[in-house]
Amino acid sequence: MKPVKWQRVSKILIFCLLLAAAFFYRDSLAEIFQGIRQAEPAAVLMSAMLSMAAYFVEGMTIACMAGAVIPSGFCERDLPLRPRFQACAVQYPVRAEALDENAGQKEGQAGPLSIRQGIRITFLCEFYRMITLGNGSGFAEIHYLHKNGMEAGSAAVLTMIQYMLKRTAVMLLGTFGFAVLWREGDTRAVCREYALFMAAGCGVTAGVILVFTALALSDRIASWAERLLEMLTRKLPSWEKRFSKWKEQIRLLNQSGKDFLKQKRRSLCALALQIVKMLLFYSIPASLLFGKIGISFAKSILLMAVAYMLSGIIPAPSGAGALEFVFVLFFSRFTDSGRALPVILLFRFATWVLPFGIGGGLMAAGRRKEAKDNPI
């Protein structure tokens, strides 16, 4: 009876989180659906198609990275690769076989996770992102990667590196957009007016990327970080569990993240996919404003890239409200705010509400299948 009881508890918990999220986002959701009613059906369809293409690319990124993250957490780091598998075989014969199979894959081959599984995980993470106010998507990704056969430590590393690659793509596109728009006469004024905020956005994003990269590539920096957390644990004993979890994540990132980043072809491919995904997102408002704004389609994409980067430094659950504010602030310089606001609301629907609904449907279908396959 225990499995049945836990299934009921999890259903009740998800339902409660869903109600809490609906209450928290009630004003934003009301504005989004009001914007959808005012939009033309062709605009809604175009936004949905570009958004779905972006999430398909995200699923491809997960599948690409899954074949590159070296399984970790079983054996000592200082053992050579093949002897490490031999050592693993003593204690973990089944997992060691999987390790050897994954290690034998050549760079550029498909990973152990299919693109279809990666896309499914992407939408499931979007469902949990919304009901947990933007905080649970990483844990959901680790859970579903582990459920699809990946070792939990490797799943955590993949999630951390994927976040780093996304922030890198956002920074590269935002910085490039800022540099190009600064040189153009019709967009130079807005760049000068908000140059300080743009510099802050670049600095914060670059800082996050540098910290993750340093922890992944440098054993010395990872060791310093662990010592710092030990010192903080002695001063803040109530945070001991949290600091211990952070130390474990740093150790995992340093062990397996280095192996991934050294695979230049695969890591560059994953970064390129993240850039393509973000460009598809940025194309949504640019497509909706095409021919209705005082700047070109390409400049609209670059201005959206700058706005998206700046919204990332404004603290808000799931970014709700921050992106809308920055978008209207920038784009109202080239069109009236009455036209810019419905566009960003439609963007929110395509990149926030729609994937949430698809993820919820996939989760419900998966639970029904599990209940059918395991009636006990």
Side-chain angles (χ1 to χ4, degrees), residues 190 194 303-304 307 321-345:
V190 67
Y194 300 103
L303 189 60
M304 180 63 183
L323 180 59
E324 288 83 348
F325 171 75
V326 179
F327 181 89
V328 174
L329 188 67
F330 282 5
F331 279 83
S332 60
R333 301 288 296 268
F334 308 100
T335 185
D336 58 279
S337 58
R339 178 172 291 171
L341 184 58
V343 168
I344 191 60
L345 293 177

Side-chain angles (χ1 to χ4, degrees), residues 185-216:
D186 52 353
T187 54
R188 186 179 301 141
V190 67
C191 291
R192 286 180 175 178
E193 186 174 351
Y194 300 103
L196 182 62
F197 297 99
M198 293 180 183
C202 290
V204 171
T205 308
V208 172
I209 295 169
L210 288 175
V211 168
F212 271 87
T213 305
L215 292 174

Side-chain angles (χ1 to χ4, degrees), residues 16 20 32 41 79-80 98 101 124 162 174-175 226 231 252 257 273 295 300 309 348 363:
C16 292
I32 289 172
L79 291 175
E101 180 182 355
L124 289 168
Q162 185 185 4
T175 306
E226 290 185 27
M231 293 174 55
L252 285 171
L273 287 172
I295 55 178
S300 295
M309 183 181 69
R348 273 300 187 191
M363 187 206 66

